[in-house]
Every structure is written in structure tokens, then in C-alpha cells.
């Protein structure tokens, strides 16, 4: 029997309808995700000399020197190893001084002269250090070799200039081209293949010293 005969509905029907209405009222409408447009990265121009050629680039300010060389100038001889400055595979020379290019922003090198493995020598005109690495099998897989060679060239220059090292008993005296001296200075360049002895022999040959 209807509770409200004039309206044709029962009490139970009214209660059920009210509960359903309340449920609908508390369910929030689905929120449509609105993709926010990504802000373009800040860009800046940099102008430097790479392997004797002037290069002008406009780069994301976060670009490392390593990525500028490999990704923008296509100089892929410089290798990306750990990308944390621990393996030395990315070693290049900046104004004659070796650095880990993965730890340096490209924009820091405005006006600098940068030398990569391609700038030292090419297969038809090898640098003496490159030739010595070949002669002494100073590599196996070869991945670390460009960094090893750039570092080795800079190491001999450091010794020549009298830059002291941790293995010198007397830092007031000029360092020599000893095996331990060169090994200490090359300790930042890792070789997973373990070609260290051959690398030392290659360096000694170029230095005119005994490995």
C-alpha cells in the first residue's frame, strides 16, 4: 500500500531516492588533467676554439662540455664513462690543462682552446703518444684510450713544467719522468682492461725515459 497514495509513491521509495541523491551529491566530478606547457630551457651562446677551429654554439645552460663536444660538434672520440668525474674517459685539454669534460659546463669555456683526441692526431698523422700506445699495446677494448692519451700528453707537460705531485719526496725539486711519477699522475684515468703497464711503457717512450 502506498504511503502517499495521492502521489503514487511509497515511503520506502522516497527514502531510497533520497539516499541515492545524497550519494551523487558527494561524489566529486572527475578532474580533467590539464597538461602544463613545459618552459623552454634557458639558452646561451658560447664561443670557443676546438682543435684549432672556432666554434659558436647556442646551448642549454646545463650542457656539459662533454655533451657539447659529442652531441653538438660530433667529436665522439671523447668518451662518456661514469659521467661523474671518476673514470677519466672524458679527459680533454683546455688551454693545455687536462680536465674531466663531464664535470665542466660548456658555458664556462668562453674563449678557451680545447683539444680532444681528434685534435692530437688522426690515423694518417698520429701524435707521438698515439703511436706509442699502438706500439706498446696500451689499450685493449679501447674505450678509455682517448682519455688516457689526452691525459698522458698533459702529464708529460706537467712534469716538464715542474708541477709537483704527491709522490715527490722533495717538492722543491723538479719532478722526473719515473714510472711511479707517471703512474701517480695517471691515477685519475681508469682502465677496466688493466693495460696500465703498457700505458706506462708508452709514456716512457715518448718521454725518453725508462718505464
Amino acid at each position: 500500500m502506498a504511503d502517499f497514495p495521492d502521489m503514487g509513491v511509497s515511503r520506502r521509495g522516497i527514502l531510497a531516492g533520497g539516499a541515492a541523491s545524497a550519494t551523487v551529491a558527494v561524489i566529486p566530478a572527475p578532474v580533467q588533467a590539464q597538461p602544463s606547457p613545459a618552459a623552454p630551457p634557458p639558452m646561451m651562446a658560447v664561443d670557443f676554439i676546438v682543435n684549432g677551429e672556432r666554434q659558436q654554439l647556442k646551448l642549454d645552460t646545463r650542457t656539459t662540455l662533454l655533451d657539447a663536444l659529442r652531441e653538438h660538434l660530433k667529436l665522439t672520440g671523447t668518451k662518456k664513462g661514469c659521467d661523474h668525474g671518476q673514470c677519466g674517459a672524458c679527459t680533454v685539454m683546455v688551454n693545455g690543462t687536462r680536465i674531466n669534460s663531464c664535470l665542466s659546463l660548456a658555458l664556462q669555456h668562453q674563449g678557451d682552446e680545447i683539444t680532444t683526441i681528434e685534435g692530437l692526431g688522426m690515423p694518417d698523422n698520429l701524435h707521438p703518444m698515439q703511436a706509442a700506445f699502438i706500439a706498446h699495446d696500451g689499450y685493449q677494448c679501447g674505450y678509455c684510450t682517448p682519455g688516457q692519451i689526452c691525459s698522458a700528453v698533459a702529464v708529460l707537460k706537467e712534469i716538464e713544467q715542474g708541477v709537483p705531485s704527491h709522490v715527490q719526496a722533495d717538492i722543491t725539486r723538479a719532478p722526473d719522468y719515473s714510472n711511479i711519477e707517471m703512474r701517480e699522475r695517471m691515477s685519475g684515468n681508469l682502465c677496466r682492461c688493466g693495460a696500465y703497464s703498457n700505458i706506462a711503457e708508452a709514456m716512457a717512450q715518448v718521454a725518453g725515459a725508462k718505464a
Side-chain angles (χ1 to χ4, degrees):
M1 178 177 181
D3 295 318
F4 302 95
D6 295 340
M7 300 176 64
V9 295
S10 68
R11 180 184 300 274
R12 184 184 300 274
I14 290 175
L15 292 175
S21 300
T23 302
V24 170
V26 298
I27 295 176
V31 177
Q32 298 295 328
Q34 298 296 324
S36 57
M43 307 286 285
M44 287 187 67
V46 64
D47 185 335
F48 42 42
I49 307 295
V50 180
N51 299 333
E53 296 184 8
R54 183 180 181 187
Q55 301 289 349
Q56 295 175 295
L57 298 173
K58 189 172 185 179
L59 301 171
D60 182 329
T61 55
R62 300 163 295 182
T63 304
T64 64
L65 178 58
L66 172 61
D67 286 337
L69 294 171
R70 287 182 56 85
E71 307 300 331
H72 295 267
L73 299 179
K74 307 305 179 187
L75 294 170
T76 54
T78 304
K79 303 303 184 189
K80 179 177 285 192
C82 67
D83 210 20
H84 287 80
Q86 298 178 350
C87 73
C90 65
T91 302
V92 299
M93 289 184 284
V94 176
N95 300 326
T97 300
R98 56 186 173 142
I99 68 166
N100 291 323
S101 58
C102 72
L103 294 182
S104 184
L105 294 176
L107 297 180
Q108 293 176 275
H109 297 286
Q110 174 69 30
D112 284 347
E113 293 189 13
I114 299 157
T115 303
T116 69
I117 189 67
E118 294 92 342
L120 285 179
M122 297 300 284
D124 59 346
N125 184 27
L126 294 175
H127 185 279
M129 190 64 77
Q130 292 171 313
F133 266 62
I134 294 173
H136 292 275
D137 291 330
Y139 54 88
Q140 289 187 35
C141 80
Y143 193 82
C144 71
T145 306
Q148 298 275 6
I149 292 177
C150 285
S151 195
V153 170
V155 161
L156 297 191
K157 186 176 180 182
E158 291 169 11
I159 296 175
E160 179 184 358
Q161 294 175 338
V163 177
S165 77
H166 293 292
V167 297
Q168 282 182 252
D170 183 356
I171 62 171
T172 63
R173 300 182 61 181
D176 55 25
Y177 295 93
S178 65
N179 183 278
I180 191 173
E181 186 71 55
M182 289 188 278
R183 284 177 179 265
E184 161 62 20
R185 293 174 188 262
M186 291 292 290
S187 60
N189 288 80
L190 305 183
C191 173
R192 289 184 177 274
C193 304
Y196 297 112
S197 295
N198 296 6
I199 291 170
E201 290 175 1
M203 293 178 67
Q205 175 184 308
V206 176
K210 184 178 180 180

